[in-house]
């Protein structure tokens, strides 16, 4: 699993992700100070989305793309502190290998 954070995303970067988000334009994303990006296998991404949403008040979206290795990308939108906390919790759960992970 790969994890990155974009603090203060440029308008073009935000636009790329918003055009590709799985829920489409009907679900607005508000107040984006940071974007966490998490890429991995489908099973890891479902668990990561659950961990992020339970940890703090962030919005998690799947990002559509084409990848022959069955990789999936999640974008975690929110304020910087919340996105950082969500990513840290994902890393912690993955490292621990807890049963719900």
């Amino acid at each position: 699993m790969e994890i990155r954070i974009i603090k203060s995303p440029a308008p073009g970067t935000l636009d790329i992700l918003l055009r590709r988000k799985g829920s489409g334009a009907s679900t607005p994303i508000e107040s984006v100070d940071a974007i966490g990006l998490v890429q991995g296998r489908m099973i890891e991404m479902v668990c990561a989305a659950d961990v992020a949403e339970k940890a703090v008040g962030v919005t998690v979206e799947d990002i559509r793309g084409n990848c022959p290795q069955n990789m999936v990308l999640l974008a975690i939108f929110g304020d910087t502190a919340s996105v950082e906390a969500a990513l840290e919790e994902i890393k912690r759960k993955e490292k621990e290998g807890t049963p719900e992970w």
Side-chain angles (χ1 to χ4, degrees):
M1 180 172 7
E2 289 189 52
I3 297 175
R4 302 282 191 279
I5 189 169
I6 301 171
K7 296 178 182 179
S8 301
T13 302
L14 186 57
D15 189 50
I16 289 168
L17 292 171
L18 294 179
R19 283 194 319 262
R20 300 187 66 82
K21 68 187 184 89
S23 67
S26 62
T27 305
I29 303 291
E30 299 176 15
S31 182
V32 176
D33 296 327
I35 304 167
L37 299 173
V38 184
Q39 183 176 359
R41 297 177 304 146
M42 176 68 83
I43 191 168
E44 295 169 331
M45 296 305 93
V46 171
C47 291
D50 186 62
V51 167
E53 288 182 343
K54 287 178 180 176
V56 289
V58 292
T59 301
V60 180
E61 290 280 348
D62 65 306
I63 303 300
R64 294 185 313 261
N66 298 322
C67 185
Q69 295 88 19
N70 296 317
M71 302 289 273
V72 176
L73 178 66
L74 294 179
I76 301 170
F77 299 94
D79 64 82
T80 302
S82 295
V83 171
E84 287 176 335
L87 294 178
E88 286 305 314
E89 187 66 9
I90 290 168
K91 290 176 191 176
R92 187 181 72 76
K93 291 279 188 176
E94 181 188 31
K95 185 177 179 181
E96 285 179 0
T98 56
E100 62 271 8
W101 182 256

